[in-house]
């Protein structure tokens, strides 16, 4: 996947995205050929092997592993690189990737492969411009969320997305696997969740069951780990539970006309045992020790709670004055179950005031029109991920002439420039609040995305803009410079047969529509 066209001659900037913090080119070239060898001690064993695999896959260069580092042409060095994550030095005689940990070494490999794939061939070797790169990210959390409850895309497409995430140095894959339309994750103890709950999609209630087996999950998690991406599953509750309630209706708390059987029942003790059983299996499948349990939009379908005798009894027993209190009680109990599993509790911003322990939970601020929820989360000491609808919802349109995605009130949508220019400085946070911001992610909800062309069209090139928005400090970014560097990437998308949006020629590929059911 690491294929990058770049400006390769001396003195011209490499078209690397995200742009490294420091790039100093010098005279001369390193000639990479099959006669080269790589050395790494056991600490960087995986990264060295990944480099060899990529060189073979993309350039048919079968370089060997050397058992000695003296005189070797590609060298991995474990050392303190100061306040940087990695350094990559290419001289006419040697390539050196230095880092203090495996993550840094991997990103050194990524940058090297970008240079390799832009290099000119000289006989049987590739001429790599001499350069000294030093780099580090602005944010720790650099994520993408994919909703596969509403429409299912499958293992091959998810792995392709992970390839591109690694290519753009993104490191958190938030996987929305359960919601109203369908349940997409095999749970051994409750097989009907997928056999019954896995039937249907947002646009076709009768499509055959589609879901990931636990073996699929293991393969995808391992694939992501090789690319230094953590996979974070989402099991939405107490709302967005319709698919689960189709499978096991005894745990339903009812819903509304627009959102039937929308909730889990908050006052039935068996519900908490049932959901804890599910979370135990989820926790075993995903080594990230982070599970997102939603907590959003419960009011869409909790109207039956107020008339339920068990809920009224619960409210009286715990002196609750509103259904929001019931919702928060539910989430605190499920958070307790997660914490017993040694897992972090991840929730949407509706839970900012729910009383979750700040040291064991992370809030995701998504409602850009409710900045008070962001401040509530930060002021209560919660680590927070920024994913505001504007500009980080990738199901929103990116061009005024597009028709099939979403818009916000006032004809607002999310252009490539909007994504690129997002800055924490626009949120007017104080220094203490800023310290609690882990980073950002883009969310791709799929109500309007039921085919691969639409998925690709909404992701590319906004994913490239996202990568630089979360890797580079706001003061170092320049959109005009980015557009120069992203231009070769558009050709790369074409070579990889992606159906992408071209912001330079917006009508070159028309917006793909939703595929209608027969």
């Amino acid at each position: 996947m690491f294929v990058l066209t770049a400006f390769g001659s001396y003195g011209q900037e490499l078209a690397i995205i995200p742009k490294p913090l420091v790039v100093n080119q010098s005279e001369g070239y390193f000639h990479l050929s099959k006669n080269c060898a790589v050395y790494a001690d056991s600490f960087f064993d995986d990264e060295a092997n990944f480099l060899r695999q990529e060189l073979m896959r993309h350039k048919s260069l079968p370089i060997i592993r050397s058992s000695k580092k003296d005189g070797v042409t590609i060298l991995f060095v474990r050392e303190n690189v100061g306040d940087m994550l990695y350094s990559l030095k290419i001289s006419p005689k040697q390539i050196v990737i230095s880092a203090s940990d495996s993550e840094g070494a991997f990103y050194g490999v990524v940058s090297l492969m970008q240079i390799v794939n832009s290099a000119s061939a000289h006989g049987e070797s590739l001429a790599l411009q001499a350069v000294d790169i030093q780099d580090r990210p602005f944010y720790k959390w650099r994520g993408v969320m994919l909703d596969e409850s509403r429409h299912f895309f499958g293992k091959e497409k998810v792995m392709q997305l992970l390839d591109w995430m690694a290519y753009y140095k993104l490191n958190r894959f938030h996987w929305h696997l359960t919601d109203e339309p369908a349940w997409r994750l095999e749970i051994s103890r409750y097989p009907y969740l997928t056999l019954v709950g896995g039937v249907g999609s947002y646009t076709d209630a009768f499509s055959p069951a589609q879901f990931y087996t636990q073996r699929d999950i293991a393969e995808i998690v391992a694939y992501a780990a090789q690319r230094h991406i953590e996979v974070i599953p989402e099991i939405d509750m107490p709302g967005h539970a319709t698919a689960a309630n189709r499978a096991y209706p005894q745990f339903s708390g009812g819903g509304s006309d627009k959102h039937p059987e929308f909730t889990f029942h908050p006052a039935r003790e068996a519900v908490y045992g049932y959901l804890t059983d599910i979370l135990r299996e989820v926790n075993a499948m995903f080594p990230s020790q982070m599970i997102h349990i939603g907590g959003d939009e419960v009011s869409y379908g909790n109207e039956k709670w107020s008339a339920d005798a068990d809920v009224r009894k619960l409210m009286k027993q715990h002196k609750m004055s509103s259904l929001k209190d019931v919702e928060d009680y539910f989430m605190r109990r499920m958070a307790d179950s997660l914490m017993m599993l040694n897992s972090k509790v991840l929730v949407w911003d509706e839970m900012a005031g729910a009383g979750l322990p700040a040291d064991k939970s992370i809030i995701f601020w998504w409602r850009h029109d409710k900045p008070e929820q962001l401040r509530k989360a930060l002021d209560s000491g919660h680590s927070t991920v920024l994913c505001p609808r504007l500009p980080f919802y990738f199901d929103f349109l990116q061009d005024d002439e597009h028709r099939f995605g979403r818009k916000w009130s006032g004809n607002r949508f999310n252009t490539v420039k909007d994504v690129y220019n997002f800055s924490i400085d626009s949120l007017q946070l104080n220094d203490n609040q800023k310290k609690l911001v882990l980073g950002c992610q883009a969310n791709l909800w799929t109500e309007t995305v039921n085919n691969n062309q639409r998925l690709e069209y909404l992701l590319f090139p906004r994913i490239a803009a996202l990568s630089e928005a979360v890797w580079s400090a706001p003061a170092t970014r320049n959109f005009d410079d980015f557009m120069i560097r992203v231009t070769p990437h558009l050709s790369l998308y074409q070579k990889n047969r992606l159906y992408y949006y071209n912001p330079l020629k917006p009508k070159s590929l028309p917006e793909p529509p939703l595929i209608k059911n027969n």
Side-chain angles (χ1 to χ4, degrees):
M1 177 54 66
F2 296 116
V3 180
L4 179 63
T5 302
F7 302 108
S9 59
Y10 175 57
Q12 291 182 299
E13 184 179 32
L14 296 174
I16 297 176
I17 296 174
K19 185 177 182 179
L21 185 63
V22 177
V23 180
N24 292 317
Q25 295 188 49
S26 57
E27 295 184 0
Y29 293 87
F30 176 88
H31 292 277
L32 180 66
S33 72
K34 64 183 180 182
N35 298 318
C36 293
V38 60
Y39 174 84
D41 63 21
S42 59
F43 192 81
F44 290 147
D45 192 57
D46 290 342
E47 287 68 39
N49 286 333
F50 186 81
L51 173 61
R52 293 176 66 218
Q53 291 164 7
E54 293 299 292
L55 287 172
M56 186 62 202
R57 184 154 66 103
H58 295 295
K59 294 298 179 181
S60 298
L61 287 176
I63 67 170
I64 64 170
R65 282 289 298 267
S66 174
S67 60
K68 299 178 181 180
K69 65 180 179 180
D70 294 338
V72 77
T73 46
I74 303 175
L75 178 64
F76 284 79
V77 178
R78 187 184 181 191
E79 64 180 3
N80 188 334
V81 287
D83 61 351
M84 297 295 170
L85 183 63
Y86 72 91
S87 74
L88 168 62
K89 296 181 180 179
I90 302 176
S91 71
K93 293 184 178 180
Q94 191 177 51
I95 296 171
V96 179
I97 296 173
S98 302
S100 61
D101 59 24
S102 58
E103 179 188 26
F106 178 78
Y107 289 132
V109 169
V110 172
S111 292
L112 174 58
M113 283 306 304
Q114 292 178 352
I115 294 171
V116 165
N117 284 294
S118 68
S120 300
H122 285 248
E124 294 185 356
S125 68
L126 296 170
L128 311 186
Q129 172 69 55
V131 66
D132 183 348
I133 292 175
Q134 300 177 50
D135 206 4
R136 67 169 183 264
F138 185 69
Y139 283 124
K140 178 181 178 181
W141 189 292
R142 307 181 300 278
V144 172
M145 188 222 78
L146 178 64
D147 164 24
E148 282 203 88
S149 172
R150 290 174 175 84
H151 289 107
F152 185 84
F153 295 95
K155 184 168 60 176
E156 182 178 346
K157 203 64 184 172
V158 166
M159 287 180 167
Q160 184 188 50
L161 174 57
L162 292 171
D163 277 335
W164 283 103
M165 286 179 63
Y167 172 74
Y168 285 128
K169 297 186 173 79
L170 300 168
N171 66 352
R172 299 289 190 274
F173 178 50
H174 175 177
W175 209 358
H176 189 83
L177 291 164
T178 74
D179 210 304
E180 293 178 80
W183 184 286
R184 305 297 190 190
L185 177 63
E186 179 188 28
I187 302 297
S188 298
R189 187 161 183 172
Y190 299 101
Y192 290 166
L193 284 172
T194 48
L195 297 178
V196 176
V199 172
S201 70
Y202 188 81
T203 53
D204 183 359
F206 303 105
S207 62
Q210 293 180 295
F211 58 91
Y212 293 99
T213 67
Q214 294 194 9
R215 181 173 292 185
D216 291 333
I217 295 297
E219 186 178 348
I220 291 168
V221 166
Y223 193 84
Q226 188 185 29
R227 288 150 181 78
H228 287 265
I229 297 171
E230 286 192 301
V231 183
I232 297 107
E234 182 176 356
I235 308 299
D236 214 341
M237 58 183 75
H240 294 279
T242 308
N245 289 335
R246 285 202 312 269
Y248 294 95
Q250 64 268 38
F251 301 118
S252 176
S256 62
D257 289 341
K258 289 186 178 181
H259 301 276
E261 307 304 325
F262 186 73
T263 65
F264 293 117
H265 202 292
R268 290 180 187 160
E269 198 61 28
V271 171
Y272 295 97
Y274 162 66
L275 292 175
T276 299
D277 287 341
I278 290 171
L279 293 179
R280 283 183 183 278
E281 289 199 32
V282 174
N283 185 61
M285 282 185 264
F286 295 90
S288 63
Q289 294 299 110
M290 293 183 283
I291 299 177
H292 203 299
I293 55 173
D296 62 311
E297 300 178 331
V298 180
S299 62
Y300 285 7
N302 68 352
E303 62 185 45
K304 292 186 178 180
W305 288 6
S306 58
D308 187 285
D310 290 335
V311 175
R312 292 201 304 270
K313 181 179 178 181
L314 179 73
M315 293 179 71
K316 183 177 181 180
Q317 179 183 355
H318 292 276
K319 298 179 181 179
M320 300 176 186
S321 60
S322 69
L323 294 184
K324 183 64 170 69
D325 291 338
V326 177
E327 177 187 327
D328 292 349
Y329 165 86
F330 178 100
M331 293 297 284
R332 287 194 299 270
R333 286 201 59 177
M334 294 314 306
D336 286 342
S337 292
L338 269 184
M339 290 183 289
M340 287 177 62
L341 300 173
N342 197 31
S343 175
K344 282 268 190 180
V345 181
L346 280 54
V347 290
W348 298 111
D349 66 45
E350 286 92 332
M351 292 293 107
L356 300 177
D359 61 331
K360 296 179 180 179
S361 54
I362 299 173
I363 304 292
F364 286 63
W365 178 61
W366 65 280
R367 293 181 292 175
H368 70 278
D369 54 329
K370 293 188 180 295
E372 68 275 10
Q373 290 299 108
L374 172 60
R375 292 183 174 83
K376 184 185 292 186
L378 297 172
D379 290 341
S380 61
H382 282 91
S383 296
T384 302
V385 174
L386 309 179
C387 48
R389 284 173 293 205
L390 299 178
F392 287 145
Y393 269 32
F394 279 10
D395 54 318
F396 276 42
L397 302 181
Q398 52 193 323
D399 189 289
D400 196 32
E401 294 189 9
H402 294 169
R403 298 184 295 119
F404 297 103
R406 296 169 59 197
K407 289 184 180 180
W408 190 248
S409 59
N411 197 35
R412 299 174 69 188
F413 48 91
N414 296 331
T415 66
V416 174
K417 187 174 184 179
D418 293 330
V419 175
Y420 184 87
N421 283 335
F422 176 81
S423 170
I424 193 174
D425 296 335
S426 66
L427 302 176
Q428 299 179 335
L429 303 177
N430 62 43
D431 290 341
N432 289 330
Q433 291 170 329
K434 287 181 180 180
K435 290 177 183 177
L436 290 168
V437 174
L438 296 178
C440 307
Q441 72 178 33
N443 294 341
L444 182 50
W445 303 101
T446 58
E447 289 94 335
T448 63
V449 190
N450 70 348
N451 59 82
N452 287 341
Q453 281 194 340
R454 281 200 56 73
L455 182 72
E456 294 164 3
Y457 198 77
L458 294 170
L459 276 170
F460 299 96
R462 287 191 293 193
I463 192 173
L466 169 72
S467 76
E468 200 147 306
V470 295
W471 185 272
S472 304
T476 67
R477 285 186 255 140
N478 180 287
F479 182 70
D480 292 336
D481 171 67
F482 169 78
M483 289 303 293
I484 292 172
R485 286 180 292 112
V486 84
T487 300
H489 290 240
L490 304 180
S491 298
L492 172 63
Y493 302 155
Q494 186 174 2
K495 290 177 182 177
N496 282 271
R497 298 182 179 180
L498 295 175
Y499 198 93
Y500 64 96
Y501 171 69
N502 186 343
L504 302 174
K505 298 179 180 179
K507 295 184 179 180
S508 58
L509 287 175
E511 180 194 17
L514 280 162
I515 296 175
K516 295 182 179 180
N517 298 318
N518 294 328

